Amino acid sequence: MENFYLVLVVVLFALAISDLIVGVSNDAVNFLNSAIGSKAAPKWVIFLMASLGVLVGATFSNGMMEVARKGIFHPEMFMFSEIMIIFLAVMITDVILLDLFNTFGMPTSTTVSIVFELLGSAVAVSAVKIKMAGGSIVMELSQYINSSKALAIISGILVSVFIAFTVGAIVQYVSRLVFSFKYRPVMKYMGAIFGGMAITAITYFMLIKGMKGSSFADIQLDSGVTLQEWLNSNTIRIMIYGFFCWALLLQLLRWIFKVKILKLVVLVGTFALAMAFAGNDLVNFIGVPLAGYNSFKAWVAAGAISPDSFGMGMLAGKVGTPTYMLVIAGLVMILTLILSKKARSVVATTVDLSRQSEGESERFDSSMAARFLVRSSTRFNKNLLRVMPAGLTNAVRSRFEPHSYYSTEDPDAPAFDKLRAAVNLVVASILIAIGTSLKLPLSTTYVTFMVAMGTSLADRAWDRETAVYRVSGVFSVIGGWFLTAIIAFTISCFIAFLISVSGTFMIFVFIAVAIFIVIRTQLFFSKRAQKLAAEEDEDIVDEDAKEQIIEKSSKQVVKTIVSSNQVLTMGIEGFLHEDLQALKKAQEACEEFSKKAKRNKDKVYTTINKIAGDTLETGHFYVQMVEHQREMAHAVHFMLEPMVKHVQNNHKPFVADQVSQLAGLSGRVDTFFNYVLHVVKEENFDDLDNLIKERDAILDALGKIEKSQIKRIKNKMVNTRNSQLFFKIITETEHLLLHSVNLVKAQRDFIKFTRQTK
């Protein structure tokens, strides 16, 4: 029996390592988005500062381990075997849940997930135990669940969302009033003061507040007092000396080495927030396995008696965590931080929602709630401006005039300036450190995300062009947070319940399920990453020479032609054979084609800035190319959709003459598109006249096919639904042929003028 539970402890630590990997991939957004979004330094410098912060913060997490041991339930009410079921259910659920969110690039809260997983599994095990004893679940459950502490934790998490957004908006608004977007001249005189205040605040909350409960807090000094006691008694002196020392040091660095103060503040803030993350969130990943390990040691020390009769009251006391374990966890975090591709995907979501400019395209679509909120806010703002003095309004507006030291038209420009990045980091690190000092496992994700949203709102990044999409994005992310709580509670409760009633065999079944899901999501993510990389290879960038621009634009045209032909031929063939599976494949190809065409159109603004050169003609013909690609995608879509519905609804198939005509048409269009491919790939535009003749011949054939359908209508051979679909296929085929030739013409002229530009 002892060996069995030893295996379970090993499994817990294996799951902890996996949880660290998927958890850091999610939470990297918390301390990387400001530095990366503002491009304060090369990425290797940003990652170095973040890694140092994680390593230092990992040693400050000891006090937070109490949440995993006794924060959600009363451990003395459970036996050793029951505690192990609770912990295993929590870790299995956490790995699955966080990996799914990371795969889709959605930042979620590791704190919320762990709290609700502990709550769900504890409720399930308690319910089974009460029922087996013949008691009442409703009356006795409160004896097992630490409802007051759980409610305090949940309330703290929810309140932190509102506080983070509000404080972030207020601090950023005041900062912008003081410095404006033209902050460089002001920074010459006030930069050292601002930086000194920011770094001093970080120092206070990171060292003094963060030290509380850490593994270093009880170190004895020569005077006989502990390090924590000395810091508490010298707080004011440390703050005053710290401010003057930091301000003086920053001013000297500016004078002597021309160091940019905001850049330094952002890097220090990145270190601080990474430290706060490790100090506050490390419990989410290793707190549960360590509690399981401590439980196992206590059980073995008691003589390895029956696991069903050994109580877990020892977890209610103070249990220290070896520093080496915290350091190992920190090192795993650092490696994941540097190597994880999923982390970059999650970071992109927050950066896109807070960028100052509208960007190439918004990440989220608008929603009814967002439209209502934006419309109401706009109306309120107009009414407020009517009653405010004009002089005050103009003075405030002048501080928020869009100006920065980078071009918002440059896609490689920072998403926002370093002043906002500094505010993001300072405010978020202070709020998280306060929560850590109060032993409240605030959601680092919630705080940093909402601070970033608050500062972007105060910075007027959510203007009339972007507000509805940004608000929809915030609602989507917050909705995902609530979904995290529901899913975490439900799955953990389900797993713990099945293990409790079915025996230990289900433990290994669920571990296998977790491994399977993680592997599947990793394959899905890798496939999607390869697809995105292939699309980015086709994007035109500033460094591209003329021939590279021509080559990439030609690839876009070739893919458009291939996709159009593929959807048309697959669709008609599947329809004529009433093969719904083939039609579904055609739909998938059509959807992929439509997404690529839309993506090219969304990027047309930035692409034109890269290729226009000294003439407007190249940009003009590129726009035409993109428009024709989009219209071809529309044509095949509007052709395919009614065919799919016809087969799905089991309507009558086409008559023999119609089948023959459409089969012949499909073959002829296939030959035509092969000819188009030859012209584009070989740049053999002298054959364009022959191509037009072939197109016109097919159009004439389409006219004859249309007349034959009219004849069938007159002879009562077909019904209304049949005729509508047949005419739709003919019409969209005509559109497809017309736009395909126009696409080739636009490509010809684009190549011509691109090679002529200087």
Side-chain angles (χ1 to χ4, degrees):
M1 184 61 70
E2 182 177 340
N3 290 334
F4 171 75
Y5 281 101
L6 178 61
V7 170
L8 293 189
V9 171
V10 173
V11 168
L12 277 176
F13 277 102
L15 289 171
I17 294 174
S18 177
D19 205 29
L20 276 169
I21 294 172
V22 297
V24 176
S25 297
N26 175 82
D27 283 7
V29 65
N30 302 335
F31 47 87
L32 291 180
N33 64 338
S34 292
I36 290 178
S38 64
K39 297 194 173 180
K43 284 189 176 181
W44 71 269
V45 176
I46 295 173
F47 278 95
L48 176 63
M49 296 300 295
S51 299
L52 291 174
V54 167
L55 193 59
V56 174
T59 63
F60 282 9
S61 342
N62 199 17
M64 294 297 296
M65 296 302 165
E66 295 180 18
V67 176
R69 291 187 291 105
K70 59 181 181 180
I72 304 300
F73 55 85
H74 298 294
E76 64 273 11
M77 299 298 296
F78 296 93
M79 299 298 113
F80 174 60
S81 59
E82 296 164 344
I83 282 288
M84 294 302 288
I85 291 175
I86 291 174
F87 291 159
L88 281 166
V90 167
M91 296 306 297
I92 292 171
T93 304
D94 210 44
V95 170
I96 295 173
L97 187 63
L98 294 181
D99 188 66
L100 285 172
F101 271 87
N102 293 345
T103 300
F104 293 99
M106 292 292 287
T108 190
S109 170
T110 54
T111 303
V112 169
S113 66
I114 204 75
V115 167
F116 278 90
E117 285 156 4
L118 281 166
L119 186 60
S121 58
V123 166
V125 173
S126 301
V128 171
K129 184 173 183 177
I130 293 171
K131 205 65 180 174
M132 291 180 66
S136 171
I137 296 176
V138 176
M139 300 297 295
E140 299 180 30
L141 187 61
S142 60
Q143 300 176 17
Y144 293 83
I145 305 300
N146 190 352
S147 55
S148 59
K149 183 66 174 179
L151 184 62
I153 292 172
I154 295 168
S155 300
I157 291 172
L158 295 177
V159 171
S160 70
V161 172
F162 174 77
I163 293 176
F165 184 85
T166 305
V167 174
I170 292 173
V171 174
Q172 179 62 30
Y173 191 81
V174 173
S175 300
R176 196 61 76 184
L177 284 177
V178 174
F179 294 100
S180 80
F181 279 93
K182 303 176 183 179
Y183 55 78
R184 284 187 179 176
V186 185
M187 277 293 166
K188 292 180 181 179
Y189 309 103
M190 297 184 63
I193 297 175
F194 175 82
M197 292 174 60
I199 298 179
T200 301
I202 291 171
T203 304
Y204 173 71
F205 286 104
M206 292 299 98
L207 291 182
I208 298 177
K209 293 294 186 182
M211 181 68 69
K212 186 178 179 182
S214 75
S215 53
F216 296 121
D218 297 328
I219 293 178
Q220 293 286 333
L221 303 179
D222 294 337
S223 58
V225 299
T226 64
L227 180 60
Q228 180 69 60
E229 293 170 343
W230 185 87
L231 289 172
N232 291 338
S233 61
N234 293 275
T235 298
I236 297 177
R237 185 185 306 173
I238 292 173
M239 294 294 292
I240 294 174
Y241 290 166
F243 169 72
F244 284 108
C245 290
W246 281 116
L248 179 61
L249 178 61
L250 290 174
Q251 193 62 54
L252 291 174
L253 289 174
R254 179 175 178 81
W255 283 342
I256 300 173
F257 299 104
K258 307 298 181 183
V259 172
K260 295 181 179 179
I261 293 176
L262 282 180
K263 179 180 291 188
L264 190 61
V265 171
V266 171
L267 291 177
V268 173
T270 300
F271 169 86
L273 199 53
M275 178 179 166
F277 153 75
N280 190 76
D281 281 9
L282 187 60
V283 63
N284 301 338
F285 311 124
I286 69 170
V288 169
L290 284 175
Y293 175 63
N294 290 329
S295 302
F296 176 76
K297 286 199 304 180
W299 176 64
V300 172
I305 60 179
S306 173
D308 297 327
S309 60
F310 182 71
M312 286 286 101
M314 49 78 57
L315 289 178
K318 185 174 179 60
V319 180
T321 304
T323 302
Y324 75 89
M325 286 191 176
L326 299 173
V327 173
I328 291 174
L331 292 174
V332 174
M333 285 180 167
I334 291 171
L335 289 175
T336 304
L337 181 67
I338 296 173
L339 301 176
S340 174
K341 293 182 179 179
K342 290 186 178 181
R344 299 166 200 166
S345 173
V346 180
V347 169
T349 300
T350 303
V351 172
D352 286 345
L353 285 174
S354 58
R355 67 170 57 251
Q356 189 68 30
S357 61
E358 61 181 289
E360 296 169 354
S361 62
E362 293 299 329
R363 194 177 182 92
F364 296 89
D365 292 328
S366 65
S367 63
M368 183 181 297
R371 290 193 291 269
F372 172 78
L373 184 60
V374 171
R375 191 178 299 112
S376 301
S377 301
T378 303
R379 189 181 303 115
F380 173 79
N381 185 57
K382 288 180 179 179
N383 294 331
L384 184 64
L385 291 176
R386 291 193 185 102
V387 300
M388 287 183 64
L392 178 61
T393 301
N394 293 332
V396 172
R397 184 180 291 119
S398 67
R399 309 303 291 173
F400 288 87
E401 288 180 357
H403 177 88
S404 191
Y405 299 100
Y406 62 87
S407 171
T408 56
E409 296 180 357
D410 180 8
D412 295 324
F416 41 80
D417 62 20
K418 295 177 183 63
L419 179 64
R420 174 141 56 105
V423 172
N424 284 347
L425 291 162
V426 172
V427 172
S429 61
I430 288 174
L431 292 176
I432 295 165
I434 291 174
T436 302
S437 68
L438 297 175
K439 300 291 180 64
L440 290 176
L442 295 181
S443 169
T444 313
T445 304
Y446 289 10
V447 172
T448 53
F449 180 83
M450 295 309 295
V451 167
M453 296 304 102
T455 57
S456 61
L457 174 65
D459 244 0
R460 302 188 179 182
W462 298 1
D463 60 9
R464 293 285 291 271
E465 294 297 322
T466 61
V468 68
Y469 306 108
R470 304 289 174 85
V471 174
S472 293
V474 173
F475 285 169
S476 297
V477 173
I478 293 176
W481 293 346
F482 284 104
L483 197 62
T484 299
I486 296 171
I487 295 175
F489 179 89
T490 304
I491 297 180
S492 184
C493 184
F494 175 73
I495 292 175
F497 174 78
L498 282 187
I499 294 175
S500 298
V501 299
S502 302
T504 56
F505 171 73
M506 292 303 299
I507 294 175
F508 300 100
V509 171
F510 283 120
I511 292 173
V513 170
I515 294 172
F516 173 76
I517 291 176
V518 170
I519 292 175
R520 283 293 302 269
T521 56
Q522 184 60 40
L523 292 175
F524 172 80
F525 181 84
S526 299
K527 184 178 179 180
R528 189 179 63 179
Q530 292 174 359
K531 179 181 171 183
L532 291 175
E535 290 178 349
E536 290 175 358
D537 287 341
E538 297 175 10
D539 291 342
I540 295 172
V541 296
D542 290 324
E543 294 77 13
D544 286 341
K546 292 180 182 179
E547 292 304 318
Q548 288 177 306
I549 292 174
I550 291 171
E551 180 183 355
K552 289 184 176 182
S553 66
S554 296
K555 283 183 179 179
Q556 293 179 8
V557 173
V558 167
K559 288 197 172 183
T560 298
I561 296 166
V562 171
S563 298
S564 299
N565 190 28
Q566 180 185 24
V567 175
L568 184 143
T569 53
M570 286 176 60
I572 290 179
E573 183 178 357
F575 172 73
L576 296 180
H577 291 87
E578 295 188 274
D579 186 348
L580 193 57
Q581 193 66 29
L583 286 171
K584 291 292 184 182
K585 290 182 180 179
Q587 269 189 317
E588 291 174 3
C590 183
E591 184 178 354
E592 187 67 26
F593 175 29
S594 182
K595 285 180 180 178
K596 288 182 179 179
K598 184 179 183 301
R599 182 175 182 272
N600 291 337
K601 188 172 182 178
D602 289 341
K603 294 173 70 67
V604 71
Y605 176 83
T606 53
T607 304
I608 287 176
N609 287 322
K610 300 169 187 173
I611 65 175
D614 58 355
T615 176
L616 298 178
E617 298 300 327
T618 50
H620 167 67
F621 289 117
Y622 182 80
V623 171
Q624 286 191 340
M625 288 168 53
V626 171
E627 290 294 339
H628 290 310
Q629 291 174 38
R630 188 71 173 136
E631 290 301 321
M632 291 174 72
H634 284 155
V636 293
H637 170 75
F638 292 136
M639 178 194 305
L640 184 63
E641 282 302 303
M643 289 195 292
V644 174
K645 290 181 180 178
H646 192 94
V647 175
Q648 283 179 334
N649 294 329
N650 203 32
H651 295 312
K652 292 180 181 179
F654 278 3
V655 298
D657 286 347
Q658 290 175 307
V659 171
S660 176
Q661 288 174 345
L662 287 183
L665 174 64
S666 176
R668 194 164 181 180
V669 171
D670 179 62
T671 302
F672 171 79
F673 275 126
N674 287 330
Y675 192 12
V676 175
L677 279 177
H678 169 74
V679 171
V680 172
K681 287 182 177 180
E682 302 297 329
E683 294 186 21
N684 191 11
F685 298 114
D686 293 337
D687 282 353
L688 196 55
D689 289 339
N690 293 330
L691 192 65
I692 293 173
K693 289 179 181 178
E694 179 60 27
R695 179 204 63 187
D696 292 342
I698 299 176
L699 292 178
D700 289 340
L702 287 173
K704 295 177 181 178
I705 293 173
E706 192 175 74
K707 290 178 181 178
S708 65
Q709 177 67 8
I710 295 173
K711 183 178 179 181
R712 284 190 286 269
I713 293 174
K714 292 287 188 181
N715 294 332
K716 308 294 184 183
M717 297 174 61
V718 293
N719 57 24
T720 302
R721 185 173 286 106
N722 177 292
S723 299
Q724 288 176 337
L725 177 56
F726 193 85
F727 287 140
K728 188 65 174 176
I729 295 172
I730 300 302
T731 301
E732 297 305 335
T733 303
E734 289 177 353
H735 291 163
L736 191 60
L737 294 172
L738 291 170
H739 285 293
S740 63
V741 172
N742 289 335
L743 175 62
V744 176
K745 289 180 180 179
Q747 171 70 358
R748 175 197 62 188
D749 296 333
F750 174 77
I751 292 174
K752 173 184 174 182
F753 283 97
T754 299
R755 287 176 173 154
Q756 289 177 357
T757 56
K758 295 180 181 180

